[in-house]
Amino acid sequence: MARISDLLSDRPTLSFEFFPPADEIAAKQLEKTLDELAGLSPSFVSVTCGVGGDGHDRTRDIVTDICRDRPFPAMAHLTCVGHTKQGVADLLDDYAAAGVVNILALAGDPPDGSAISGDFRYASELVEVIREHPADFSVGVAAHPEVHPRSADRASDRRHLAAKLSRADFAITQFFFDPTDYTRLCDELAELGYPQPVVPGVMPVIWPKSIRRYADINGSTVPEDLFARLESLPAADRITAAAEAAAELSQSLLDAGAPGIHLYTLNRPEASLQIARELFPK
Ligand code: FAD
């Protein structure tokens, strides 16, 4: 199974993010999306991880299935807040046994603003546990171009990110809409002496209302003119316009030296297909 850290040296990568489907209908939609996006020969895909409950198990099952059945690697998102070191070690054993080698190490968020519980507080602690595992995982971490909402200030955000990256192989960013947020993040990490690749996460605004909500939670600034325009369009036109805007942002990021583009698909293929065709015409 290819390691994402190796794939990133053969840039630019193109990757797609999915979330575990909530029911049978959503599971069929995800399969259909995977079938359609497979034609683009993605470098890798990734599957998010729900907080608590059976979130880890559902991600493990989907990632294992993709790695077994598809010609591209799948990366497992793994959150640590609310979990025990033993639980995480057992899950890493499962991934190693299934030949899954790519893990995105994340803190996650305590549900509904409750206090942080379990054996972990920060993603960097999870990176250490993954590094201690006998399997040689390729480890990614999250980066927040507009600064993580729990950060006291920009300087400490970058310091903690740099410390986390020092034990990881690469980072993938939260979504943002201004390319200078990404270039500034890369410059700040370079100043701190961290050359690891940072892959920008790009969100096509196919559902403006929901994406506004996610942006509020993540601290991502929403460009009002783009969102107002998209909100006024009928669904089919909105997807086309959202993909055009995301392709333009992605192209400017690649021109600025981004090692790849990670698309948040929301489990739908249409916008990602259009973006990929605009970025990488055959
Ligand atoms: P951390 O790196 O732990 O940072 C969290 C905060 O703590 C930051 O403010 C940081 O500056 C601060 N901090 C870090 N270390 C220290 C320290 N030693 N001392 C003091 N402060 C410190 N969430 C999910 O639930 N499931 C997913 O699948 C998922 N996938 C994601 C994928 C990507 C690409 C991204 C960008 C985010 C994803 N998230 C996911 C969201 C993520 O879990 C949240 O943003 C979470 O609040 C922070 O995660 P982190 O890994 O960045 O945390």
Side-chain angles (χ1 to χ4, degrees), residues 77-89:
H77 293 213
L78 174 52
T79 55
C80 62
V81 162
H83 293 277
T84 62
K85 285 193 175 168
Q86 189 55 55
V88 165

Side-chain angles (χ1 to χ4, degrees), residues 49-105:
C49 175
V51 177
D54 63 352
H56 279 176
D57 295 350
R58 294 171 69 214
T59 302
R60 178 199 56 207
D61 294 347
I62 297 167
V63 166
T64 302
D65 286 354
I66 295 174
C67 286
R68 189 192 54 228
D69 299 339
R70 306 271 175 181
F72 40 78
M75 172 169 69
H77 293 213
L78 174 52
T79 55
C80 62
V81 162
H83 293 277
T84 62
K85 285 193 175 168
Q86 189 55 55
V88 165
D90 291 345
L91 190 63
L92 292 173
D93 288 346
D94 290 349
Y95 279 127
V100 175
V101 297
N102 298 296
I103 307 276
L104 189 67

Side-chain angles (χ1 to χ4, degrees), residues 23-47:
D23 55 32
E24 275 299 304
I25 295 172
K28 286 206 176 97
Q29 174 60 50
L30 176 57
E31 281 302 307
K32 196 163 164 269
T33 297
L34 278 163
D35 287 344
E36 294 201 30
L37 295 182
L40 298 168
S41 304
S43 311
F44 65 94
V45 300
S46 80
V47 180

Side-chain angles (χ1 to χ4, degrees), residues 17 47-51 77 79 104-109 121-124 142-144 148 150-151 156-157 160 164 172-174 264:
E17 182 170 311
V47 180
T48 65
C49 175
V51 177
H77 293 213
T79 55
L104 189 67
L106 299 151
D109 295 300
R121 189 169 177 81
Y122 301 115
S124 52
H144 305 271
H148 188 274
R150 288 204 292 272
S151 293
S156 65
D157 182 282
H160 293 310
K164 180 169 74 167
I172 299 185
T173 77
Q174 191 51 272
Y264 293 102

